[in-house]
Every structure is written in structure tokens, then in C-alpha cells.
């Protein structure tokens, strides 16, 4: 696993760790079942505070990208159906919220397109 942290203000370090691990897991660079370094070990190798890496791992676990197996460590999780279910639930919650806010379907879709462009911009 190779991670590069850029201290240039573009994104907080924990977000860079989260995005890079997520991208590598979803692309297959980090295969399902790959054991990730400990929080402390990764923090030391990247020159970051342990809390920064812990925050990234917590976000990754909430996203279903990784799973912690107690004292056995942290591993890349199987992302397929679980990720799709979570995305569908988030989409449903968004649709309901957009409707409550009074957006029509075109307005709600435009907001999603803008958010996706921003999230996937490289």
C-alpha cells in the first residue's frame, strides 16, 4: 500500500488517507482481505498523528470500505453489495430530503450532478 500526503491545503491529511485507501480498495490495488497497518504504524510511516489516521479509519469503516476484527487487525472489506445497499439508502434519504425542501426532480438531479462532479474531480 502506497499513500502520499500533501500538506498544501488541498484536503486535510485524514481525508487524503481516507480517499487513497478507499480508491485503492475499490480499484482492487488493495484486495478484499488485505490487512491494513495499525493506526499507530501507519501514522508513524506517514509522519501524521495517530488521531489523524484513526479518524480516516473510522470514516472508512463507516463507509464499509474496511472492517476491524478486534485484536486481529483492520482489513479491506468486501465492498460490492454492502456498498450498493448503503448508496441506495443514502440516495433514498436524499430524495426524501430534496422533496421536503421543495425541489422538483430536475433541481434535485442537478444538485446530485454538481456534487458528483465535485466528488470525482481529479
Amino acid at each position: 500500500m502506497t499513500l502520499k500526503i500533501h500538506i498544501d491545503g488541498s484536503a486535510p491529511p485524514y481525508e487524503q488517507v481516507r480517499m487513497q485507501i478507499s480508491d485503492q480498495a475499490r480499484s482492487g490495488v488493495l484486495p478484499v482481505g488485505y490487512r491494513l497497518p495499525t493506526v499507530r504504524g501507519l501514522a508513524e510511516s506517514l509522519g501524521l498523528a495517530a488521531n489523524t489516521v484513526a479518524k480516516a479509519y473510522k470514516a472508512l469503516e463507516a463507509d464499509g470500505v474496511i472492517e476491524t476484527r478486534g485484536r486481529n487487525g483492520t482489513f479491506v472489506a468486501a465492498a460490492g453489495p454492502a456498498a450498493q445497499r448503503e448508496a441506495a439508502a443514502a440516495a433514498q434519504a436524499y430524495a426524501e430530503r430534496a422533496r421536503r425542501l421543495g425541489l422538483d426532480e430536475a433541481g434535485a438531479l442537478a444538485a446530485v450532478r454538481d456534487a458528483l462532479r465535485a466528488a470525482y474531480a481529479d
Side-chain angles (χ1 to χ4, degrees):
M1 176 174 76
T2 303
L3 302 177
K4 294 184 181 174
I5 305 303
H6 302 284
I7 311 297
D8 62 0
S10 63
Y14 87 89
E15 181 62 17
Q16 293 179 51
V17 171
R18 187 202 64 75
M19 286 188 317
Q20 290 178 48
I21 291 174
S22 181
D23 290 347
Q24 289 180 31
R26 296 202 193 286
S27 71
V29 171
L30 296 177
V32 171
Y34 177 85
R35 185 176 183 175
L36 295 170
T38 64
V39 167
R40 195 170 291 165
L42 184 57
E44 287 176 10
S45 70
L46 295 174
L48 297 173
N51 286 342
T52 300
V53 174
K55 186 175 182 179
Y57 274 23
K58 184 175 180 179
L60 287 163
E61 192 158 20
D63 291 345
V65 176
I66 65 173
E67 60 186 8
T68 301
R69 300 178 190 161
R71 293 174 105 45
N72 293 323
T74 303
F75 299 84
V76 174
Q84 290 170 345
R85 281 193 306 274
E86 189 165 335
Q92 181 65 40
Y94 171 75
E96 291 169 3
R97 175 73 187 243
R99 187 169 185 186
R100 281 194 310 270
L101 291 171
L103 293 176
D104 62 8
E105 186 175 334
L109 283 171
V112 168
R113 278 190 215 95
D114 290 344
L116 287 171
R117 278 189 207 106
Y120 288 93
D122 287 332

